[in-house]
Amino acid sequence: MATSLAGKTAIVTGAGSGINLAFARLLLQKQCNVVFADLALRPEAKEVVDAHSSLSRCPARAVFQETNVRDWSQLERMFHTASKEFGGADIVCPGVGVYEPPFSSFWHPPGSPASKDPPSSSRYASLDINFTHPIRTTQLAIAHFLSRRCSSSSAFSSSISQQPTSSDHIIHISSIAAQVSPLLAPLYNASKHGVSGFVRTLALLDNPSHGIRVTAVAPGVIDTPLWRDNPEKLRLVDESTDEWVTAEEVAEVMGSLVDGREEVEVVSTTAGRADGREGTRRVKVEGGLILEVSKSRVRKVEQFNDEGPKGAGNTVSKMDIVNEEIMQMLSSGNWGRGK
């Protein structure tokens, strides 16, 4: 049975749009306060924050903290804001991400006209955003949770403070790209492989002594500004045949991973079934769990011998277009030579 999120507080990076906005909105509906940590708010996100600016108007509050996730001091500031405004955070979602943008793409190396990664910086902005930021945010979240736990132990008896709870949650956003890796996005694919491995590595923190549950969702092709506002990506989608997964569908699954329920329902494997039809099964919600979210389908991503993503919401039909473009670009003989 799920526990109430009322009165809890979440920090969500990237809450200004897309999946993270849908998740923040869901948390607010469940009376959970939210720190919107992002560079800026899209109009629809600002409307949500404004509507939840005071408890006199809504049972939960939202505050915006301008945050560049590549700046570690600004990541620390998110937690200071959560502590100042709400007494601390119980849920942390390092959700902001970019999908192989030209300014930081494997196919536009540092020094090339489209790239904004200076060769002298010795780093890729897209990896800082998609991989380093989730790692650093997780470090800060764990430290924050343990500090609050220690503070609580001074006010309550040790027998109470050491009860098994798993009351603190860190939820990451991986991707089906951690398994199905298109040529278009090498840096994105690598970062999502890393996120999934990172989440599994921290599974053992979900224990009676520490009570920190680290999980992830692995969305398919999601109808968000990441695609809609990017003509170069959107041209790969055939709207007549490809199916979008909504941000709200992903947010619902994310909610099921942080609301304290013991189990979630997922599709069962079709292996060994003569009719090829999928059934459902219930899996334990625990640290290291990764749930794939495609169109009207939630599946547990197994660590070994996983069947991989399939079905609606997991593919785009015109990926061959960009594959051919990349091959032609490499054939020119000038790729990677800088400006």
Side-chain angles (χ1 to χ4, degrees):
M1 179 181 294
T3 57
S4 174
L5 291 175
K8 294 190 174 183
T9 295
I11 297 172
V12 183
T13 70
S17 65
I19 293 172
N20 300 298
L21 172 56
F23 182 49
R25 186 184 285 117
L26 176 75
L27 293 171
L28 288 166
Q29 290 171 353
K30 295 181 179 293
Q31 301 180 26
C32 175
N33 304 309
V34 181
V35 176
F36 282 59
D38 210 333
L39 286 172
L41 298 176
R42 289 173 65 92
E44 58 269 29
K46 186 177 186 304
E47 183 178 339
V48 172
V49 172
D50 290 346
H52 293 81
S53 59
S54 69
L55 289 176
S56 63
R57 302 175 64 182
C58 297
R61 283 200 303 126
V63 296
F64 170 58
Q65 175 63 57
E66 182 178 347
T67 305
N68 178 350
V69 298
R70 299 181 63 197
D71 183 337
W72 288 8
S73 66
Q74 294 190 38
L75 295 180
E76 292 179 22
R77 195 179 305 153
M78 303 184 307
F79 290 89
H80 295 323
T81 298
S83 296
K84 177 183 177 182
E85 296 287 342
F86 306 111
D90 310 281
I91 300 165
V92 176
C93 173
V96 69
V98 292
Y99 186 58
E100 206 81 9
F103 69 78
S104 184
S105 166
F106 182 85
W107 300 116
H108 297 285
S112 63
S115 176
K116 294 184 180 179
D117 290 328
S120 60
S121 71
S122 301
R123 61 194 314 114
Y124 296 101
S126 57
L127 291 182
D128 285 345
I129 296 167
N130 290 344
F131 192 41
T132 304
H133 133 255
I135 292 175
R136 181 57 182 148
T137 301
T138 298
Q139 287 180 319
L140 293 169
I142 292 172
H144 178 79
F145 295 152
L146 295 179
S147 176
R148 293 185 74 200
R149 200 75 55 84
C150 289
S151 298
S152 297
S153 67
S154 64
F156 299 97
S157 70
S158 61
S159 62
I160 294 176
S161 64
Q162 294 178 5
Q163 288 179 352
T165 58
S166 291
S167 58
D168 296 318
H169 297 268
I170 305 170
I171 180 162
H172 290 264
I173 300 181
S174 183
S175 170
I176 60 170
Q179 293 184 284
V180 180
S181 303
L183 182 64
L184 166 68
L187 297 183
Y188 181 81
N189 301 337
S191 67
K192 295 307 181 180
H193 275 79
V195 167
S196 290
F198 181 65
V199 167
R200 296 190 192 281
T201 301
L202 300 179
L204 292 181
L205 295 183
D206 190 357
N207 65 64
S209 297
H210 299 98
I212 300 172
R213 180 170 292 166
V214 184
T215 58
V217 290
V221 183
I222 313 301
D223 190 357
T224 68
L226 197 70
W227 284 87
R228 292 291 185 184
D229 291 355
N230 191 331
E232 284 298 303
K233 303 294 192 303
L234 191 59
R235 69 194 175 110
L236 306 178
V237 180
D238 186 339
E239 298 272 8
S240 66
T241 58
D242 297 329
E243 293 194 53
W244 295 101
V245 183
T246 68
E248 288 72 24
E249 288 177 285
V250 181
E252 285 289 342
V253 177
M254 294 171 71
S256 73
L257 292 175
V258 301
D259 66 6
R261 69 185 68 190
E262 296 181 358
E263 295 180 329
V264 292
E265 187 173 86
V266 300
V267 298
S268 63
T269 178
T270 59
R273 293 191 57 163
D275 59 6
R277 296 175 60 189
E278 290 184 329
T280 60
R281 62 187 176 108
R282 301 194 69 79
V283 299
K284 182 179 179 181
V285 178
E286 58 186 347
L289 178 64
I290 301 174
L291 296 181
E292 175 188 300
V293 187
S294 52
K295 188 62 181 176
S296 304
R297 187 175 187 266
V298 179
R299 185 181 71 85
K300 179 183 179 182
V301 181
E302 302 289 351
Q303 186 168 8
F304 302 108
N305 302 316
D306 187 80
E307 64 180 355
K310 65 178 183 179
N314 280 326
T315 59
V316 292
S317 298
K318 299 180 180 180
M319 193 63 75
D320 286 346
I321 294 175
V322 73
N323 291 346
E324 180 61 27
E325 290 174 351
I326 291 172
M327 295 305 178
Q328 291 179 0
M329 179 175 60
L330 297 179
S331 299
S332 70
N334 295 318
W335 183 82
R337 294 189 179 183
K339 296 178 181 178

